[in-house]
């Protein structure tokens, strides 16, 4: 969460060359950002960051209305847990 989001309109009538950054003041959750931008949370994506026990950065990109299953992520990566 933060004060900025990247907006990429979808559909042929809303084509643009690249995503654009838009202000999202005071919005903390993906639901708040999606509502503010007038899109469904399922049409957004979010970045989630973790570290493993060796303090290596793990980056997961998921659909906005989903939550990361940390057990499945750790199993997929062959590690015991993510933090």
């Amino acid at each position: 969460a933060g004060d900025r989001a990247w907006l990429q309109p979808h559909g042929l009538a809303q084509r643009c060359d690249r995503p654009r950054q838009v202000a999202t003041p005071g919005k903390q959750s993906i639901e708040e950002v999606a509502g503010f931008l007038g899109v469904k949370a399922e049409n957004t994506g979010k970045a989630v960051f973790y570290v493993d026990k060796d303090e290596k950065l793990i980056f997961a990109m998921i659909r906005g209305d989903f939550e990361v299953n940390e057990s499945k992520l750790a199993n997929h990566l062959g590690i015991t847990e993510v933090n």
Side-chain angles (χ1 to χ4, degrees):
D3 291 324
R4 299 256 179 235
W6 290 94
L7 179 63
Q8 171 70 56
H10 63 281
L12 296 176
Q14 298 178 335
R15 276 189 106 105
C16 68
D17 293 333
R18 59 188 171 130
R20 59 186 163 91
Q21 194 174 36
V22 295
T24 57
K27 307 304 179 238
Q28 297 297 310
S29 70
I30 195 71
E31 291 80 13
E32 290 175 334
V33 171
F36 180 77
L37 296 175
V39 298
K40 295 179 182 177
E42 65 201 44
N43 292 331
T44 67
K46 60 184 172 184
V48 184
F49 296 89
Y50 297 95
V51 293
D52 67 10
K53 67 179 182 168
D54 298 321
E55 297 189 15
K56 290 182 183 173
L57 182 65
I58 300 166
F59 167 75
M61 181 73 180
I62 59 172
R63 202 170 88 177
D65 61 333
F66 286 177
E67 296 296 325
V68 174
N69 182 316
E70 294 173 358
S71 295
K72 288 183 179 182
L73 177 60
N75 287 338
H76 177 76
L77 297 172
I79 58 179
T80 56
E81 67 179 353
V82 295
N83 297 309

